[in-house]
Amino acid sequence: MESDPTPTPTPVKGAGGRKGCERKKAVSKSARAGLQFPVGRIARYMKKGRYSQRMGTGAPIYLAAVLEYLAAEVLELAGNAARDNKKNRINPRHVLLAIRNDDELGKLLQGVTIASGGVLPNINPVLLPKKTSASSATEKAAASKSPDA
């Protein structure tokens, strides 16, 4: 009975002294938080921006959640504006109409100019033609004559 000449393989140590081949599948911070916006990238930007010396672990998650909510709100309102104009695609005009017609978003983005957005349709009531009693009398006369004809 001869023993095998090949030695038994020793487990390879991974980073940090862990044994190899037993790594868990990586789960992103966004997936853990249930968000679509990138939590890791926002954390990196917050660190690079040097907004403070220290930053909590929940700060980028909270900021990503707020940004995702705002984006979803604007997209929903812009999609409604596009549907009102019988369009399938959202363009800058629809985004502007959505923002300016919403009170809270309008206040938040008050000083923002949207390129190719245009302006809200607005005519000062002073500039509209006045309905005088003479014009209303002629309209009534025309309405009474039309059924006879």
Side-chain angles (χ1 to χ4, degrees):
M1 292 177 67
E2 289 185 28
S3 63
D4 247 356
T6 58
T8 57
T10 58
V12 180
K13 287 196 173 186
R18 292 189 311 263
K19 292 187 176 180
C21 309
E22 294 181 18
R23 272 191 76 118
K24 291 183 181 175
K25 180 91 169 130
V27 181
S28 68
K29 293 176 188 171
S30 300
R32 276 191 206 138
L35 297 173
Q36 300 299 316
F37 271 48
V39 173
R41 185 180 302 175
I42 291 173
R44 186 176 76 235
Y45 290 158
M46 288 174 78
K47 286 176 191 170
K48 267 190 182 176
R50 303 291 291 167
Y51 297 110
S52 68
Q53 288 182 345
R54 302 168 71 186
M55 185 179 65
T57 55
I61 298 169
Y62 197 95
L63 182 57
V66 169
L67 291 174
E68 184 174 320
Y69 169 74
L70 285 174
E73 190 74 20
V74 169
L75 277 175
E76 181 184 351
L77 293 172
N80 294 343
R83 195 172 348 114
D84 292 345
N85 290 328
K86 299 179 177 73
K87 305 280 188 208
N88 292 328
R89 193 173 295 161
I90 296 173
N91 60 27
R93 175 72 177 159
H94 302 139
V95 175
L96 177 117
L97 290 173
I99 290 172
R100 299 292 178 239
N101 286 327
D102 188 71
D103 293 334
E104 293 169 345
L105 284 175
K107 192 182 288 185
L108 177 67
L109 302 171
Q110 192 171 8
V112 174
T113 302
I114 297 175
S116 303
V119 295
L120 278 180
N122 183 26
I123 300 174
N124 199 324
V126 175
L127 300 174
L128 292 173
K130 294 180 181 176
K131 292 202 171 191
T132 60
S133 59
S135 65
S136 62
T138 56
E139 288 174 1
K140 289 179 184 174
S144 64
K145 289 180 184 177
S146 60
D148 296 337

